[in-house]
Amino acid sequence: MMNNENTISKQTKLYGYVGEHAGASRLSALVNKIFKASGEDAMMIPMNIREDDFFFTLNGMKKSQVDGAVISNEYVYNAVEILDEASSLVKRSGMCDIVFKEGEKLRGDIFGMRVLLELLKDLRLSKIALLGTTPHAKAFAFLACGFDVGYFDESLEELMEFVNEVDLKDADLNRLVQGTDLSHFDAVLDFSNRQSLNTLEKLALYNFDMKNSKEFSPLKSRAKELGVQYIGYDEMIEKLADKAYKIIKGS
């Protein structure tokens, strides 16, 4: 049982939340609240890590007392290079947001995208506009069975390459141009690398990305300008904490 002082013993299972501004996030506190309510001797520690130190820190986890870690959104592409083993979704998408230590090896998986999918289903949003061809977009495409997805990017050539990589048949491909209207979609997901979405004349009622509050979100800026709802990492934080706990329990 975790004691009331929240102290760490030799038996305590330790997990990290690795990010540039991990201490500013509520994720660790929310996961620890669940650990405590469940009476488990486990704790998640926020680890503020600069990009220059990320590889050293995660690689060092293999010989540390830390049993695993959630990876903040800004480092989910970097994490893949350090893994010894990975789920098929990690291998095919090129991103990883949770790792577990097995012996002196790290195994990686994806959990945040599953939270987003569950949220879309809970809100009964099925017609989705997906922006970009990044690993985030690939992960969503692999998991998006049952959704009616329109794929958008500035380059139709990159979109064609993307659908081939994720093995999509008869995909709805669209070029992003000035004045694009996405209001007929239930939701917009921005997984692009664009620094501005001012080309979008209209957004959907619900608009999502996985950016945390310390990352610049062009979707958040455009949603505010157009007066529509934006949901990012921090707006999903309680659902993310609950899912992280469940995956940790099942690991």
Side-chain angles (χ1 to χ4, degrees), residues 11 22 40 64 125 127 131 150 173 184 206 215 228 236 247:
Q11 288 73 42
E40 296 178 45
S64 73
L125 308 177
K127 188 174 177 59
L131 313 185
L173 305 184
H184 57 291
Y206 292 93
E215 296 179 280
V228 290
M236 304 180 214
I247 292 177

Side-chain angles (χ1 to χ4, degrees), residues 191-206:
F191 295 142
S192 70
N193 289 321
R194 294 168 63 91
Q195 294 303 303
S196 170
L197 292 175
N198 289 338
T199 55
L200 300 182
E201 183 176 325
K202 294 182 180 180
L203 289 169
L205 181 62
Y206 292 93

